[in-house]
């Protein structure tokens, strides 16, 4: 009904089941939201000529690489969340070959629940924190991702397929936490720990660095450094 009445030109699917650890116990729900529902949206977009853009994740990879993942790197998710997101990619392409899929990593913003907001809260409550230092990746400020999506739309050039997008720079979660602390002027002590000291129901990729060159080449976007974007986000939170 909605598509018939409004005939949207674009649909950007940001909806997802993102509770990574809870997904291990709620597999059916995760696959319903991250897999099946994506196929439904892709199919209806195909039917009405609506351009479909879907957000995916670095968790489709197993994290064993040592160089940045490009779009052709073999997928091998290690968690229910990752597997359900990979299923969504397959559903999108199966039901709508004109889909654009953007894989991103370590997303945060001034809204919702995310690493940056959690760290600020904990730093205000505790004298010291323990943060893993052997999971490596690139943070992505959601506002930068939104800008990149709008650049695709305003470019007038729709090139279907999978793209990778994150901010520039390669760090650990520990490095990220230290930067947050320093930028907000907290005195909280941050202690580096290995993943083995912080077991979680879902396995996290130890290497989540994405190769963004296809996005840059196809759409001429320039990437911000992660620290620049973190400063902008923290300023907006003030």
């Amino acid at each position: 009904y909605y598509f018939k009445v409004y005939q949207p030109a674009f649909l950007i699917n940001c909806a997802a089941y993102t509770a990574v650890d809870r997904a291990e116990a709620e597999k059916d729900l995760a696959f319903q939201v991250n897999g099946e529902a994506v196929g439904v949206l892709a199919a209806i977009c195909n039917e009405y000529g609506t351009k479909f853009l879907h957000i995916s994740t670095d968790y489709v990879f197993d994290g064993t690489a040592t160089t940045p993942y490009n779009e052709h790197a073999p997928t091998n998710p290690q968690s229910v969340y990752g597997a359900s997101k990979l299923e969504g990619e397959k559903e999108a392409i199966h039901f709508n070959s004109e889909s654009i899929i953007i894989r991103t990593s370590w997303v945060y913003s001034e809204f919702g629940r995310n690493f940056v907001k959690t760290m600020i809260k904990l730093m205000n409550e505790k004298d010291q924190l323990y943060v893993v230092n052997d999971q490596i990746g690139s943070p992505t400020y959601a506002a930068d991702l939104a800008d990149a999506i709008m650049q695709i739309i305003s470019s007038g050039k729709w090139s279907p397929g999978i793209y990778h997008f994150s901010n520039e720079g390669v760090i650990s979660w520990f490095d990220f936490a230290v930067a947050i602390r320093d930028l907000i002027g907290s005195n909280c002590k941050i202690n580096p720990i290995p993943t083995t000291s912080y077991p979680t129901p879902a396995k996290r990729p130890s290497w989540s660095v994405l190769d963004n060159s296809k996005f840059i080449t196809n759409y001429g976007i320039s990437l911000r450094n992660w620290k620049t974007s973190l400063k902008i986000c923290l300023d907006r939170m003030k």
Side-chain angles (χ1 to χ4, degrees):
Y1 171 80
Y2 182 91
F3 278 78
K4 200 175 277 185
V5 172
Y6 296 103
Q7 301 191 328
F10 299 91
L11 190 152
I12 303 163
N13 183 33
C14 307
Y17 181 110
T18 58
V20 175
D21 289 320
R22 202 163 70 230
E24 296 296 313
E26 296 183 351
K27 183 177 178 180
D28 291 350
L29 182 58
F31 268 83
Q32 224 174 0
V33 176
N34 293 341
E36 192 183 334
V38 178
V40 172
L41 289 173
I44 201 162
C45 285
N46 191 50
E47 186 184 337
Y48 285 93
T50 300
K51 293 198 164 36
F52 183 57
L53 192 148
H54 174 65
I55 309 299
S56 193
T57 174
D58 58 294
Y59 277 62
V60 300
F61 300 114
D62 59 20
T64 59
T66 51
T67 55
Y69 285 106
N70 67 26
E71 291 80 0
H72 303 293
T75 54
N76 184 25
Q78 299 294 296
S79 63
V80 168
Y81 169 71
S84 68
K85 291 295 287 182
L86 181 59
E87 183 65 20
E89 293 184 8
K90 291 174 179 173
E91 291 273 307
I93 292 162
H94 175 73
F95 287 104
N96 189 336
S97 60
E98 292 292 297
S99 298
I100 284 181
I101 294 163
I102 301 177
R103 292 177 183 146
T104 188
S105 60
W106 295 22
V107 180
Y108 69 92
S109 81
E110 55 268 46
F111 306 104
R113 291 163 66 182
N114 56 71
F115 183 80
V116 172
K117 290 180 75 177
T118 299
M119 284 297 112
I120 292 169
K121 180 176 180 290
L122 291 173
M123 285 171 197
N124 287 331
E125 293 170 356
K126 297 177 185 293
D127 294 330
Q128 60 176 335
L129 297 174
Y130 297 86
V131 183
V132 294
N133 69 341
D134 57 357
Q135 292 175 24
I136 308 298
S138 304
T140 306
Y141 181 30
D144 292 341
L145 176 58
D147 281 344
I149 291 168
M150 293 312 294
Q151 283 187 56
I152 291 176
I153 289 169
S154 60
S155 73
K157 182 178 109 176
W158 189 263
S159 300
I162 298 173
Y163 293 85
H164 290 173
F165 181 87
S166 67
N167 285 124
E168 281 280 302
V170 177
I171 58 169
S172 70
W173 288 111
F174 167 76
D175 299 326
F176 200 15
V178 168
I180 294 163
R181 179 199 64 192
D182 293 349
L183 286 168
I184 65 169
S186 167
N187 293 318
C188 185
K189 184 170 187 259
I190 314 287
N191 302 288
I193 56 166
T195 299
T196 49
S197 298
Y198 187 72
T200 55
K203 190 182 177 193
R204 266 77 173 163
S206 57
W207 176 266
S208 282
V209 183
L210 300 174
D211 178 345
N212 301 310
S213 52
K214 180 184 173 184
F215 206 143
I216 294 165
T217 304
N218 275 35
Y219 286 103
I221 61 154
S222 55
L223 300 178
R224 274 205 190 111
N225 180 270
W226 68 270
K227 208 164 200 177
T228 306
S229 291
L230 177 60
K231 283 177 187 165
I232 292 166
C233 178
L234 293 173
D235 285 344
R236 286 175 178 170
M237 286 171 78
K238 286 174 190 167

